[in-house]
């Protein structure tokens, strides 16, 4: 890891000595890596100078992956490398515990994943977007899927379990008028089987894009500084003129001067980008009241249960492929996953949409093959100005410890609880209505990390805990009306000529789908616009003060 850090990162002081920069990107997470790569790739033949500031450290996700930008000499020096040039590191949790970093604080990010079972955004999910940019994004999304290595497979899973489970659940769903027909989910898989996984950690991920871009950048146009947390923007005359940062490597506070033609782009994620806007912009400024409002997302709950296959008239002692189904309500979605055998979860364990028999044999079922493990994931949508992100200053601490937190509408929270109760009733009635007495004695519910035979007394007893709102977006929404949006349609802050946001805080909403792919597609369009504007001034370098650090 130290080898990669030496090759791809630099100290803040050294980076600023090599300025000035055309673009300064705050956050080298999912969208920061992507935008930095696109700024370099979309400009030709002249290249902009890009500085990326990341609060976390550089790491590589904890599974086997291809890194074509590493030379054979590099690979030879990295522990765990095979002859095929694949890099393997231990579990990420072990690395985080060793280094002391949170999951969401690292180059490449981890907070915004699009797992292989995430619902794909549909055209109707763009109803709250300005029409012109929505049409452009919808048209460009298929190309973005291909670029990111996503396989548009629909339906995702096929096989005996998928077909029979769909039939049985639809028969049972007649008792629940809140949801429509259960059908195969519009999911997407990334890459090939050996390269599958979450988009934030796979071989096509923006982290791989960024490191490959930097490996090909022989003239040093792109600089990555880690351990540098941006605390706030310094604003004057409707421009960002500086960044107040915390340089963790040198254990000091510093200030970075921003020149007249340097564009500042925040890609720090919904909470951190919103916090920077709230902390930096004047409460009396135009559009300030819109910052942090319009929090869109999903409150997610997971429920796990194991029971004999015979309860749903499925064949005993047969190794079956997995199943992935979904059903929608007015403001909610239920995903249902299942796999034969005793597992900790019914979630998919491998990502091929068409399972050949020899591949199925490679994944032996754990424990009793007569059992079925079923996972129900319930999403409750939240939206509207009454759901928002606010700031809170930690008592007796300095301004660097300003935290962003959620304030959610009580009606949405009550609705979330109601959907959880409905999910439990659905699972309980499914088992009771179909199971015989001796079969019901074998039902197991997951409570915390334990599997218990007694039925749950409440939804919260078996609901997997969540840390935050999932699929969050919208708190710095763009709009074609400056009175209702924080940003314009290309991510520039209304009233601030050189301040942009190109992460999912900017997009108005994504309906039932994940915001990741729409945000990537929109960010590429916005980045292309930025490159076109920059290129008009590219014959002369920005009239900027070279980066200087003021302690």
């Amino acid at each position: 890891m130290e080898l990669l850090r030496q090759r791809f990162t630099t100290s803040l002081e050294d980076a600023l000595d090599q300025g000035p920069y055309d673009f300064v990107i705050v956050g080298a997470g999912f969208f920061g890596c992507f935008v930095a790569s696109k700024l370099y790739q979309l400009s030709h033949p002249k290249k902009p100078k890009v500085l990326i500031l990341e609060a976390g450290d550089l790491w590589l996700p904890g599974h086997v992956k291809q890194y074509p930008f590493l030379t054979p000499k590099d690979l030879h020096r990295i522990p765990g490398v095979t002859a095929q040039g694949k890099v393997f590191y231990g579990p990420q949790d072990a690395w985080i515990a060793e280094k002391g970093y949170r999951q969401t604080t690292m180059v490449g990010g981890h907070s915004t994943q699009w797992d292989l079972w995430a619902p794909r955004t549909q055209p109707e999910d763009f109803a709250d977007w300005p029409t012109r940019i929505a049409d452009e994004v919808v048209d460009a999304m298929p190309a973005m899927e291909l670029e990111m290595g996503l396989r548009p497979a629909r339906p995702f899973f096929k096989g005996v379990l998928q077909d029979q489970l769909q039939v049985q659940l639809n028969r049972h769903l007649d008792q629940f008028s809140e949801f429509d027909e259960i059908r195969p989910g519009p999911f997407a898989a990334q890459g090939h089987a050996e390269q599958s996984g979450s988009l934030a950690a796979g071989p096509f991920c923006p982290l791989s894009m960024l490191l490959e871009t930097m490996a090909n950048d022989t003239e040093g146009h792109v600089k990555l500084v880690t351990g540098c947390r941006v605390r706030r923007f310094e604003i004057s005359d409707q421009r960002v003129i500086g960044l107040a940062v915390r340089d963790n490597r040198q254990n000091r506070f510093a200030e970075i001067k921003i020149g007249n033609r340097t564009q500042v782009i925040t890609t720090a994620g919904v909470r951190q980008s919103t916090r920077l806007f709230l902390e930096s912009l004047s409460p009396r400024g135009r559009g300030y009241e819109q910052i942090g409002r319009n929090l869109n997302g999903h409150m997610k709950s997971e429920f796990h249960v194991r029971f004999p296959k015979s309860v749903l008239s499925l064949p005993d002692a047969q190794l079956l492929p997995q199943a992935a189904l979904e059903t929608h309500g007015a403001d909610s979605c239920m995903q249902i996953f299942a796999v034969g055998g005793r597992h900790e979860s019914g979630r998919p364990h491998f990502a091929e949409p068409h399972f050949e028999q020899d591949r199925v044999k490679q994944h032996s079922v754990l424990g009793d093959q007569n059992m079925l493990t079923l996972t129900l994931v319930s999403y409750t949508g939240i939206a509207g100005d009454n759901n928002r992100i606010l700031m809170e200053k930690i008592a007796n601490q300095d301004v660097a410890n300003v935290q962003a937190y959620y304030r959610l509408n009580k009606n949405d929270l009550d609705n979330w609880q109601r959907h959880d109760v409905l999910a439990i009733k659905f699972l309980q009635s499914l088992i009771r209505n179909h199971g015989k007495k001796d079969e019901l004695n074998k039902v197991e519910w997951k409570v915390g990390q334990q599997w218990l035979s007694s039925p749950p007394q409440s939804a919260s007893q078996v609901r997997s805990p969540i840390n935050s709102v999932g699929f969050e977006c919208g708190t710095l929404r763009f709009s074609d009306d400056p009175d209702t949006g924080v940003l314009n349609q290309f991510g520039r802050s209304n009233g601030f000529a050189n301040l942009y946001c190109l992460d999912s805080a900017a997009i108005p909403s994504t309906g039932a789908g994940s915001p990741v792919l729409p945000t990537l597609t929109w960010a590429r369009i916005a980045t292309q616009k930025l490159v076109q504007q920059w290129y008009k001034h590219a014959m002369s370098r920005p009239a900027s003060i070279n980066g200087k650090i003021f302690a």
Side-chain angles (χ1 to χ4, degrees):
M1 203 65 66
E2 184 60 33
L3 168 69
L4 295 176
R5 188 178 297 114
Q6 292 174 1
R7 178 170 177 185
F8 292 109
T9 71
T10 186
S11 69
L12 177 61
E13 190 166 3
D14 288 345
L16 294 179
D17 284 343
Q18 300 175 56
Y21 292 90
D22 301 290
F23 300 98
V24 176
I25 297 176
V26 179
F30 196 92
F31 299 111
C33 289
F34 179 81
V35 169
S37 301
K38 289 305 168 188
L39 284 171
Y40 183 87
Q41 295 168 9
L42 295 175
S43 56
H44 182 78
K46 200 170 182 66
K47 299 295 182 182
K49 296 195 71 175
V50 181
L51 174 63
I52 313 164
L53 304 175
E54 165 59 37
D57 210 337
L58 176 62
W59 72 292
L60 297 180
H63 60 274
V64 176
K65 297 170 56 177
Q66 288 279 7
Y67 289 98
F69 46 81
L70 295 177
T71 67
K73 184 178 180 180
D74 292 334
L75 293 170
H76 179 73
R77 296 171 60 188
I78 298 177
V81 175
T82 69
Q84 291 75 32
K86 294 181 178 180
V87 184
F88 178 80
Y89 290 104
Q92 70 177 42
D93 289 342
W95 184 86
I96 292 168
E98 176 187 351
K99 298 295 183 180
Y101 286 93
R102 296 176 57 195
Q103 281 189 343
T104 53
T105 309
M106 58 191 68
V107 179
H110 197 77
S111 59
T112 313
Q113 291 194 21
W114 190 29
D115 293 327
L116 61 92
W117 48 74
R120 176 179 289 129
T121 308
Q122 303 298 305
E124 56 268 24
D125 292 328
F126 295 89
D128 295 333
W129 290 45
T131 303
R132 188 186 69 174
I133 197 71
D135 292 342
E136 194 169 351
V137 168
V138 169
D139 291 342
M141 277 178 59
M144 180 56 65
E145 285 194 345
L146 294 176
E147 182 175 344
M148 301 308 297
L150 295 171
R151 175 180 296 154
R154 181 177 182 144
F156 187 75
F157 290 96
K158 292 184 178 180
V160 178
L161 180 57
Q162 173 86 353
D163 296 339
Q164 293 196 20
L165 189 61
Q166 182 177 354
V167 171
Q168 294 287 4
L169 292 178
N170 271 318
R171 288 175 180 170
H172 181 67
L173 197 66
D174 292 341
Q175 306 173 38
F176 296 86
S177 58
E178 293 88 347
F179 294 96
D180 57 18
E181 179 184 10
I182 290 179
R183 56 191 180 277
F187 308 129
Q190 181 192 0
H192 302 292
E194 66 274 11
Q195 298 176 336
S196 298
S198 59
L199 189 56
F204 296 91
C205 73
L207 171 57
S208 291
M209 283 185 180
L210 176 65
L211 297 185
E212 188 166 4
T213 295
M214 296 180 70
N216 295 328
D217 176 25
T218 57
E219 298 182 10
H221 289 90
V222 181
K223 298 294 182 183
L224 171 63
V225 176
T226 58
C228 181
R229 181 180 297 277
V230 176
R231 299 162 57 214
R232 66 177 178 272
F233 305 131
E234 302 294 349
I235 304 289
S236 178
D237 295 329
Q238 304 301 304
R239 296 186 60 83
V240 178
I241 63 169
L243 303 178
V245 303
R246 167 76 181 182
D247 184 359
N248 293 327
R249 293 192 181 281
Q250 297 295 323
N251 193 27
R252 62 172 174 170
F253 295 102
E255 183 178 330
I256 301 174
K257 294 292 185 180
I258 298 296
N260 293 332
R261 295 183 184 176
T262 300
Q263 309 300 312
V264 177
I265 305 170
T266 175
T267 55
V270 171
R271 274 165 287 178
Q272 289 303 315
S273 290
T274 304
R275 182 192 66 80
L276 282 169
F277 270 66
L278 286 169
E279 175 72 5
S280 307
L281 275 58
S282 169
R284 295 183 297 274
R286 184 180 186 184
Y288 183 86
E289 283 299 315
Q290 299 296 328
I291 299 174
R293 294 187 179 273
N294 188 51
L295 174 62
N296 280 251
H298 297 78
M299 305 300 288
K300 185 177 78 169
S301 304
E302 292 189 4
F303 307 91
H304 309 275
V305 61
R306 298 193 296 222
F307 52 87
K309 293 177 183 176
S310 56
V311 168
L312 297 182
S313 302
L314 298 173
D316 289 341
Q318 180 180 346
L319 181 59
L320 296 169
Q322 297 171 329
L325 302 159
E326 73 173 15
T327 177
H328 287 265
D331 53 1
S332 62
C333 171
M334 285 199 310
Q335 296 177 350
I336 301 166
F337 305 102
V339 63
R342 293 177 182 269
H343 295 273
E344 290 301 304
S345 169
R347 290 267 201 169
H349 295 278
F350 43 96
E352 280 287 69
H354 307 288
F355 298 105
E356 299 91 357
Q357 191 61 32
D358 59 339
R359 283 196 54 77
V360 173
K361 291 179 181 178
Q362 295 176 19
H363 299 269
S364 59
V365 174
L366 303 177
D368 189 350
Q369 297 188 21
N370 295 322
M371 296 290 286
L372 183 74
T373 302
L374 189 146
T375 293
L376 188 151
V377 185
S378 175
Y379 295 96
T380 299
I382 63 170
D385 286 351
N386 290 328
N387 295 311
R388 60 186 305 188
I389 291 181
L390 301 172
M391 286 196 312
E392 180 180 39
K393 292 186 178 181
I394 307 302
N396 300 321
Q397 298 288 334
D398 65 18
V399 71
N401 288 297
V402 171
Q403 301 291 328
Y405 71 97
Y406 297 107
R407 176 178 291 173
L408 300 180
N409 187 329
K410 183 179 183 301
N411 289 337
D412 283 339
L413 291 176
D414 291 343
N415 203 29
W416 176 39
Q417 179 67 21
R418 185 177 65 84
H419 286 145
D420 284 353
V421 172
L422 188 64
I424 287 294
K425 287 183 177 179
F426 178 82
L427 292 174
Q428 286 182 319
S429 62
L430 174 70
I431 296 168
R432 282 200 305 263
N433 290 352
H434 294 272
K436 300 176 182 178
K437 185 174 181 179
D438 59 330
E439 295 172 333
L440 296 179
N441 293 332
K442 299 179 182 179
V443 175
E444 300 172 344
W445 294 84
K446 191 173 185 179
V447 179
Q449 298 302 314
Q450 297 180 320
W451 288 87
L452 305 179
S453 58
S454 57
Q457 300 301 312
S458 67
S460 60
Q461 186 180 7
V462 293
R463 179 176 65 209
S464 296
I466 64 167
N467 296 321
S468 65
V469 177
F471 293 170
E472 57 193 3
C473 65
T475 51
L476 298 174
R477 60 182 164 193
F478 62 72
S479 173
D480 50 9
D481 181 358
D483 292 328
T484 60
V486 180
L487 312 168
N488 71 10
Q489 295 185 48
F490 297 103
R492 192 179 76 178
S493 173
N494 290 323
F496 297 91
N498 66 334
L499 177 59
Y500 290 77
C501 176
L502 296 183
D503 60 33
S504 52
I507 64 174
S509 66
T510 55
S514 165
V516 175
L517 190 63
T519 305
L520 283 176
T521 309
W522 169 76
R524 191 188 192 285
I525 295 169
T527 302
Q528 179 72 65
K529 184 80 170 179
L530 271 171
V531 168
Q532 291 171 354
Q533 293 173 347
W534 166 80
Y535 209 80
K536 295 177 182 178
H537 308 284
M539 297 311 296
S540 60
R541 279 294 173 198
S544 167
I545 302 173
N546 277 332
K548 292 182 65 177
I549 300 178
F550 300 90

